[in-house]
Amino acid sequence: DTNSTITGRTTTNSISSVRYMSVTAMLSAVAFILMFLDFSVPFMPAFIKMDLSELPALIGAFSMGPVCGILICLIKNVLHLFITTTGGVELSNFLLGVAFVLPAGLIYRHKKSRRSALIGSLLGAVIMGVFSVVSNYFLVYPVYYNFMPEEAVLGAYQVIVPSVKSILQCLVCFNMPFTIVKGLFSVVITFLVYKHI
C-alpha cells in the first residue's frame, strides 16, 4: 500500500544518507592524513611538496558525486587549519582541489563510463594546474613571504634554472606542470584501486 511504499522510501533514503555521510567522513579523514605524508621531489624547490590528498576527494567524486568530492576537500583543509595558521595555503588547497574533482565528478555523473571518468579527471588535472598559477601568486606565496623574502623564493627556483626572472614565470614553468603531474598521480591510483574499493 501507499504507507508501506512511503516507509520503504524513507528507510532507503535514510540508509543512503548515512552511507553518504560515512563515506564522506572516512575519505575526509584519509585525505587529512595524506596531507601530512608529503615529500620533496627533484627539480622543485625544497619548500614545494608532493602529496596525494586529492586522491580520496577524486574517489569520493566518482563514487558519491561531485559534491562529496568538494566536501572532502573542504573538511580536510578545515581540519588542517586547526593545526596551522597559514589560512591562505588551506584556501588555495581547497580551491585547487575543487578545480580538480568538480570537472571529474560532473563529467562522470553525466555519463558513467571509464572513458568519461578518464576525460573528466584529466581535464580536472589540467584546470587545477592552470589555476595553481593564480592561487599561488595571490594566496600562497604572499603567506610564504612572511617567512621567506620574495628574493629568496625566486633564488630557490634560480638554483634549478638560473634564467627565470620572476615569481610568475616560476609558477608557470615549475608549479603549473608540477600540479598537473600531481593530479595525474591521483588519477592513475584512482583507476588502479577504484573497482577494488
Side-chain angles (χ1 to χ4, degrees), residues 56-70 72 101-102 104-105 108:
L58 184 60
I59 292 172
F62 284 152
S63 62
M64 307 296 289
V67 174
C68 176
I70 292 171
I72 292 167
V101 303
L102 184 59
Y108 183 69

Side-chain angles (χ1 to χ4, degrees), residues 124-154:
V126 172
I127 292 173
M128 179 172 67
V130 172
F131 187 69
S132 71
V133 175
V134 178
S135 68
N136 278 311
Y137 192 77
F138 291 105
L139 292 173
V140 178
Y141 279 48
V143 173
Y144 283 174
Y145 298 153
N146 292 323
F147 311 98
M148 191 176 182
E150 183 175 347
E151 296 76 16
V153 174
L154 180 59

Side-chain angles (χ1 to χ4, degrees), residues 77-148:
N77 282 290
V78 170
L79 291 174
H80 195 260
L81 195 57
F82 285 111
I83 296 174
T84 66
T85 56
T86 48
V89 175
E90 282 73 30
L91 177 58
S92 173
N93 192 289
F94 168 67
L95 294 174
L96 289 177
V98 172
F100 181 38
V101 303
L102 184 59
L106 287 174
I107 291 173
Y108 183 69
R109 187 175 67 175
H110 176 70
K111 185 178 181 181
K112 293 190 175 182
S113 69
R114 191 175 180 85
R115 184 172 181 269
S116 65
L118 180 61
I119 291 172
S121 53
L122 291 177
L123 178 63
V126 172
I127 292 173
M128 179 172 67
V130 172
F131 187 69
S132 71
V133 175
V134 178
S135 68
N136 278 311
Y137 192 77
F138 291 105
L139 292 173
V140 178
Y141 279 48
V143 173
Y144 283 174
Y145 298 153
N146 292 323
F147 311 98
M148 191 176 182

